[in-house]
Amino acid sequence: MKGKLIILSAPSGSGKTTIVKSLLERIPELSFSISATSRPKRENETDGKDYYFLSPEDFKEKIQREEFIEWEEVYANRYYGTLKSEVERLWNEGFHVIFDIDVIGGINLKKSFGERALALFIGVSDPEILEERLRSRLTENEESLKARLEKAEEERSFSTEFDELIINDKLDVAVEECFGKVREFISATLNEPGKM
Ligand code: 5GP
């Protein structure tokens, strides 16, 4: 069976990871697409659960072998990508696949899968909210914080390429909105065969 794709993209700090987790808890038909990355593992992360952590060399080898649906160098020498094998695995298990992915990756997936994909852009009404959230997360140094904020500014301009813009100023409101959109989307019938 070919399932559907639910794409959540947002500038860093917009709360998309929290929203994805909450959707996974509430919608049993969904399963999370574990991305591959070459960035170092954070203390609270598990290989094969949060990401498949690869060395930059292994990552580049998989690019050569065309094992990715999409990949990107999101930050300098920090590669992230979606493996074809990951989406196939989840579809074969009967799930619709949910993605927590950066904005360009989200747009690329939406272009590849068209009607089979629901692309949600998670934003905030004021950029200062992003900075506060990133600072309180304590995972960034000043340099990487600055890089994430600059990237966020640029990414905001791409929100119109998504099916829906969800404002996450209040988490419970944003979760409810996403929940409604995703439920409606996965119960609708598709006209398009979809491709990989
Ligand atoms: P983080 O380092 O905070 O886990 O993620 C950095 C950024 O990379 C986030 O915006 C995240 O959504 C994005 N990202 C995670 N997985 C993928 C992926 O498979 N492809 C792309 N293009 N971006 C990803």
Side-chain angles (χ1 to χ4, degrees):
M1 143 186 154
K2 269 195 191 290
K4 294 180 183 173
L5 299 91
I6 315 294
I7 303 160
L8 270 80
S9 294
S12 193
S14 304
K16 70 179 181 307
T17 304
T18 314
I19 297 177
V20 167
K21 285 192 178 137
S22 161
L23 292 174
L24 280 163
E25 276 167 19
R26 292 176 62 180
I27 308 179
E29 299 95 314
L30 296 183
S31 192
F32 180 64
S33 168
I34 302 165
S35 296
T37 184
S38 70
R39 82 144 160 78
K41 192 162 80 64
R42 293 179 190 143
E43 240 175 47
N44 60 342
E45 291 177 324
T46 311
D47 186 29
K49 183 168 165 271
D50 299 288
Y51 282 105
Y52 300 112
F53 291 96
L54 304 176
S55 67
E57 294 69 34
D58 287 348
F59 200 105
K60 285 177 198 164
E61 199 175 307
K62 287 188 189 296
I63 296 174
Q64 294 297 326
R65 293 206 205 125
E66 301 191 355
E67 290 184 29
F68 289 103
I69 301 175
E70 62 76 41
W71 63 270
E72 261 187 281
E73 191 176 0
V74 176
Y75 306 102
N77 211 28
R78 301 278 197 261
Y79 293 88
Y80 295 80
T82 307
L83 290 160
K84 289 178 185 169
S85 58
E86 177 66 5
V87 175
E88 271 160 10
R89 175 178 79 83
L90 297 173
W91 279 353
N92 287 337
E93 289 175 13
F95 291 107
H96 300 299
V97 184
I98 185 162
F99 296 80
D100 173 342
I101 191 170
D102 93 311
V103 172
I104 303 298
I107 292 172
N108 288 336
L109 281 179
K110 176 66 190 175
K111 280 192 189 136
S112 298
F113 291 95
E115 254 197 66
R116 188 165 290 277
L118 173 69
L120 303 178
F121 186 98
I122 314 296
V124 290
S125 58
D126 180 346
E128 278 185 15
I129 299 178
L130 284 187
E131 183 166 349
E132 273 166 31
R133 285 185 191 162
L134 283 173
R135 284 193 187 281
S136 65
R137 203 161 84 174
L138 300 176
T139 54
E140 311 305 321
N141 59 34
E142 275 304 313
E143 193 188 345
S144 70
L145 183 92
K146 192 164 163 267
R148 280 173 191 256
L149 289 173
E150 278 171 13
K151 192 169 156 64
E153 193 60 36
E154 182 193 324
E155 286 173 334
R156 255 152 45 103
S157 61
F158 293 114
S159 64
T160 51
E161 308 228 8
F162 284 72
D163 296 315
E164 306 277 350
L165 166 63
I166 312 283
I167 295 295
N168 180 21
D169 288 351
K170 280 211 157 70
L171 183 65
D172 51 345
V173 176
V175 167
E176 273 317 309
E177 203 180 338
C178 291
F179 178 75
K181 303 276 181 207
V182 172
R183 265 262 151 261
E184 186 186 340
F185 178 73
I186 62 180
S187 52
T189 314
L190 278 182
N191 305 314
E192 197 199 65
K195 57 181 175 174
M196 184 85 178

